Amino acid sequence: ILRTAGARWEVQTDDGGWTAYEVEASSAIEEAFQSGRAQLEIRLGPRGWLYVIDVQKLLQKNPKTQKDRPIRRTDAEARTPTPTSGTVRLSKEDL
């Protein structure tokens, strides 16, 4: 299995921008991706809401609301964090 230490995962927000997952969440998603798992359940945000991450379809799904958001895998070393591309906490509305 090829491990890419510089990979990070991001979720698309309502305004069309991309927000990086927190390091722990990104690592869990990357582990699932590298091991060939189709999906994983993960708790995100300040309230620990449950989401299903589908690494094959590249979607984050809220099982309670059924809302999907695109996700993507990027090379963390290729980008310099900025206020719009750095790691930030998502608000309830963003999730």
Side-chain angles (χ1 to χ4, degrees):
I1 295 176
L2 175 64
R3 300 259 178 212
T4 306
R8 88 169 165 193
W9 288 84
E10 299 175 333
V11 62
Q12 191 172 42
T13 57
D14 287 336
D15 65 4
W18 292 90
T19 299
Y21 285 98
E22 292 181 12
V23 173
E24 297 83 10
S26 189
S27 294
I29 297 167
E30 181 64 15
E31 184 178 324
F33 176 79
Q34 290 289 338
S35 67
R37 287 176 52 197
Q39 297 182 343
L40 74 146
E41 290 185 347
I42 195 165
R43 294 200 173 268
L44 301 170
R47 296 188 181 188
W49 294 45
L50 180 66
Y51 293 89
V52 175
I53 305 296
D54 189 318
V55 294
Q56 291 181 341
K57 294 180 181 176
L58 297 177
L59 291 173
Q60 169 189 290
K61 183 174 204 147
N62 180 326
K64 187 174 182 179
T65 66
Q66 298 299 306
K67 181 170 182 170
D68 289 338
R69 291 184 183 275
I71 63 170
R72 68 181 181 184
R73 184 176 184 259
T74 64
D75 181 358
E77 296 172 7
R79 298 180 60 194
T80 302
T82 64
T84 58
S85 67
T87 301
V88 297
R89 289 200 177 265
L90 297 175
S91 69
K92 184 172 101 173
E93 292 76 28
D94 287 333
L95 299 174

